[in-house]
């Protein structure tokens, strides 16, 4: 056996950012007690996830489920190498976040590619959000914080239908100009299919050289991992997911969960792709969330556990 | 717009065989009343599924859930173009099936690629099953019935680990020599990953010219549709699935459901691939199964419904 070269090794490694503590918890009908959140986030950190979106500086009257964000940031105890991310909707949110500057390493900004979805989600026209992004970007860069951005409804909008690929990538370039080093593309309401994911990520990677391109799929119609596989095949090496398949979107009602971190990790590990995470520990964290929430979650690995290969590998391995 | 040529049209069409009434119903802890089975199967036929595995001629003391197979076959009322399939484990089962010759159009035989799984599932060595297959094949062909075969644990076995690709394809060739015109490959306990599915189906299609090659995936760890997409990309155009994500395998305990027909159809329709089925009607059939079984099923489209594109297509379509 010859040693793989660096490019080949690179191609068999993906980054996974855990968004369950923000994207998942904010969509729960009942607010999860702060101590339980802290316990679950600590478990995620111990499972090897080294980027976790922990809090959101949104208005507590709009999303009361995340109103304890500072207490959560203050209470968690994560390994040294874990980056804590906070989501910020506007300059007012950034003011509040920067008042806690020492509690996180990265800021995530977002906009919807669909005008209607942006207005319904954060009550602002896209142009106004992007003008604010420019100002926020300067401050984030000046603070020497990590700066990533997520574009919601990148693959379709329940209100506007198909979203032109160029419109999405134009917004991505505006974020990059504002200083973002990572661009995530969100399938907010689960409208992507793997053929389009393949085409989309090939185009995004070509249009955004030097930018980390991240896929954020929902499993609304069970296709989430098919989309992730297609994006991987197109060259994407960074993914957002949510333990237990938690998550969704505040609008429209009925939008269901993100792809499950443990199902995504199971797929990549079986493909021989390194994620840097401990699958059994991730499954334990998802099961703990199930207990806290008091209902069955829709992740599949939570039931089946990891694949167990009874005998040593043969030449049939993937 | 130019008309697609025949090969292109072919490449955008898949066949879907519904196995829920057999593979799904046999894994339910409680036997479903015959009248309910008939009502659900009739709904599947009206939804455009033109091949439905309706019954299994197995020993009623081993699988009591399917002991009403003849009554079901006798009671269903399907459109003229729907093929009714029956699963047969051995020559004794074929005797019983042929006594009802007028009630079905196709026979499905099966074996496990794994010796241990075959013994635990049907209490026979693989060689003995294959000797019986030869005899059964002659009778099926003589009766002018459709003849398909499914090889279980094609992608891995919970008892034996990885299963050599050549062993699986050798069995497939034996089935083809016995007269089978279609070979299905079953991921009985959900151990396949999309990278291996891609490699496997490319090899199977090359080794089995003139044979319909069918993928039968389970969604045990949420990767079922990713595997289906990878198989499609490798050239596979025939799939087995189960409405509501029903199904599993009698051994080992805890094996969960097949890929959901409605999730598979949703994915293909969004990719612009024709399935010949009516997705809203399929979702209604799965919801009806949920009502009959009195529990939430794990299919995702059952919750979300089909993708609704609010605006006319633009050039961003898949």
């Amino acid at each position: 056996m010859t040693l793989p070269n660096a490019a080949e090794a690179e191609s068999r490694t993906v980054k996974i950012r855990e968004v369950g503590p923000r994207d998942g918890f904010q969509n729960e009908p009942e607010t999860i007690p702060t101590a339980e959140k802290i316990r679950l986030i600590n478990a995620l950190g111990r499972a090897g996830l080294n980027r976790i979106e922990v809090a959101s500086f949104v208005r507590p009257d709009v999303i009361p489920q995340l109103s304890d964000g500072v207490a959560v940031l203050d209470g968690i105890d994560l390994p040294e190498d874990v980056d804590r991310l906070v989501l910020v909707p506007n300059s007012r949110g950034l003011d509040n976040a920067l008042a806690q500057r020492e509690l996180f390493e990265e800021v995530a900004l977002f906009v919807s590619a669909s005008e209607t979805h942006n207005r319904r989600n954060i009550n602002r026209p896209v142009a106004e959000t992007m003008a604010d992004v420019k100002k926020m970007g300067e401050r984030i860069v000046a603070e020497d914080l990590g700066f990533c951005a997520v574009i919601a409804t990148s693959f379709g909008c329940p209100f506007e239908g198909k979203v032109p690929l160029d419109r999405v990538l134009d917004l991505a370039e505006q974020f990059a100009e504002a200083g973002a080093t990572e661009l995530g593309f969100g399938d907010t309401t689960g409208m992507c299919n793997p053929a389009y994911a393949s085409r989309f990520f090939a185009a995004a990677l070509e249009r955004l050289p030097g930018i980390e391109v991240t896929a954020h799929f929902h499993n609304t119609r069970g296709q989430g991992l098919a989309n992730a596989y297609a994006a991987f095949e197109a060259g994407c090496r960074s993914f957002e997911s949510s333990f237990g398949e938690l998550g969704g979107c505040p609008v429209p009602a009925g939008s269901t969960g993100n792809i499950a971190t443990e199902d995504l990790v199971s797929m990549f590990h079986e493909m021989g792709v390194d994620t840097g995470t401990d699958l059994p520990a991730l499954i334990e964290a998802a099961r703990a969330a199930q207990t806290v929430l008091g209902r069955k979650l829709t992740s599949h690995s939570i039931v089946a556990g990891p694949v167990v290969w009874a005998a040593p590998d043969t030449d049939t391995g993937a």
Side-chain angles (χ1 to χ4, degrees), chain A:
Chain A
M1 186 182 141
T2 53
L3 282 172
N5 64 30
E8 194 177 325
E10 169 72 20
S11 80
R12 304 308 290 175
T13 301
V14 295
K15 296 179 188 172
I16 295 184
R17 180 162 61 207
E18 173 62 42
V19 296
R22 198 277 308 164
D23 202 347
F25 294 174
Q26 83 173 40
N27 284 287
E28 289 301 315
E30 307 263 326
T31 300
I32 302 167
T34 307
E36 298 286 12
K37 289 183 181 177
I38 289 169
R39 197 167 59 85
L40 293 171
I41 295 166
N42 287 346
L44 293 168
R46 283 195 306 272
L49 292 160
N50 58 12
R51 294 177 76 201
I52 305 179
E53 199 165 284
V54 171
S56 178
F57 284 88
V58 290
R59 274 170 49 191
D61 56 320
V62 177
I63 305 187
Q65 294 95 327
L66 298 183
S67 58
D68 60 352
V70 174
V72 171
L73 280 164
D74 203 41
I76 53 178
D77 180 20
L78 296 171
E80 197 60 42
D81 65 339
V82 180
D83 270 12
R84 300 162 293 181
L85 277 88
V86 299
L87 188 76
V88 165
N90 51 37
S91 282
R92 178 85 173 265
L94 188 60
D95 294 341
N96 295 333
L98 291 181
Q100 314 293 332
R101 168 72 182 81
E102 75 287 359
L103 294 181
F104 55 90
E105 286 75 34
E106 298 186 45
V107 176
L109 303 185
F110 65 99
V111 71
S112 294
S114 144
E115 191 66 50
T116 313
H117 193 271
N118 205 58
R119 286 170 194 256
R120 295 211 195 182
N121 194 31
I122 53 173
N123 203 25
R124 254 181 151 180
V126 168
E128 208 176 286
T129 298
M130 294 312 294
D132 204 9
V133 160
K134 211 172 161 184
K135 284 186 271 178
M136 289 189 281
E138 281 174 23
R139 298 171 67 193
I140 296 165
V141 171
E143 290 284 349
D144 204 23
L145 284 158
F147 176 12
C148 61
V150 177
I151 301 179
T153 64
S154 284
F155 309 98
C157 167
F159 310 117
E160 293 189 7
K162 292 190 175 169
V163 175
L165 203 158
D166 278 340
R167 192 202 303 174
V168 180
L169 296 185
D170 287 348
L171 289 168
E173 285 182 342
Q174 290 178 47
F175 274 112
E177 283 161 20
T181 56
E182 176 184 349
L183 255 300
F185 298 97
D187 188 22
T188 316
T189 59
M191 297 172 83
C192 192
N193 68 72
Y196 190 59
S198 174
R199 188 178 144 199
F200 183 97
F201 281 91
L205 287 159
E206 198 181 323
R207 272 273 295 271
L208 299 166
I211 297 286
E212 176 97 80
V213 171
T214 298
H216 173 117
F217 292 118
H218 285 232
N219 203 26
T220 316
R221 290 167 184 92
Q223 307 173 23
L225 291 194
N227 293 337
Y229 171 69
F232 176 85
E233 286 293 296
C236 179
R237 290 294 178 274
S238 177
F239 296 85
E240 289 190 342
S241 58
S242 190
F243 73 134
E245 204 172 289
L246 293 172
C249 180
V251 287
S255 302
T256 52
N258 295 50
I259 53 174
T261 305
E262 57 277 16
D263 287 349
L264 182 70
V265 165
S266 172
M267 179 174 85
F268 280 132
H269 286 188
E270 291 301 311
M271 287 169 61
V273 174
D274 182 33
T275 68
T277 67
D278 174 347
L279 180 55
L282 284 175
I283 290 174
E284 278 317 304
R287 286 176 180 156
Q290 193 166 246
T291 304
V292 167
L293 297 171
R295 66 166 204 277
K296 277 199 177 179
L297 301 182
T298 47
S299 142
H300 279 66
S301 296
I302 238 179
V303 179
V307 176
V308 177
W309 291 104
D313 284 11
T314 71
D315 67 341
T316 65

